[in-house]
Amino acid sequence: MKYELGACLLALRLSEARMTAEQLAQLLQYKPERLVDYIDNKRVMPLKTAIAIADTLGCRERDLYELKPY
């Protein structure tokens, strides 16, 4: 089955982890603005970034976006 990416779920995952974007950015040594761009759906995170974020938050990479089958 094929999927397209829907909305970014990073804000939800951060809330579940009781963490802010700023805290995550500091842990991963990213600029907070970069994470906010993902949260606001202004940018799609590269796979390498999704792996790092998912590993830090204790979720799967596919849990970071809505997946819409087509």
Side-chain angles (χ1 to χ4, degrees):
M1 182 174 285
K2 293 183 180 183
Y3 296 92
E4 67 179 4
L5 292 180
C8 179
L9 301 174
L10 180 54
L12 176 62
R13 301 296 165 242
L14 284 167
S15 176
E16 292 171 348
R18 296 188 174 140
M19 185 180 293
T20 66
E22 291 78 16
Q23 291 169 325
L24 179 62
Q26 186 174 12
L27 284 172
L28 297 175
Q29 298 180 347
Y30 293 157
K31 292 182 179 181
E33 299 82 18
R34 183 176 175 187
L35 298 180
V36 172
D37 282 349
Y38 300 143
I39 291 168
D40 292 340
N41 292 300
K42 293 180 180 175
R43 296 177 64 185
V44 174
M45 64 183 82
L47 179 57
K48 183 174 163 181
T49 301
I51 291 169
I53 290 172
D55 185 56
T56 303
L57 296 178
C59 66
R60 301 176 302 167
E61 296 82 11
R62 67 182 298 143
D63 295 333
L64 296 173
Y65 282 93
E66 290 179 341
L67 297 177
K68 299 179 180 182
Y70 68 94

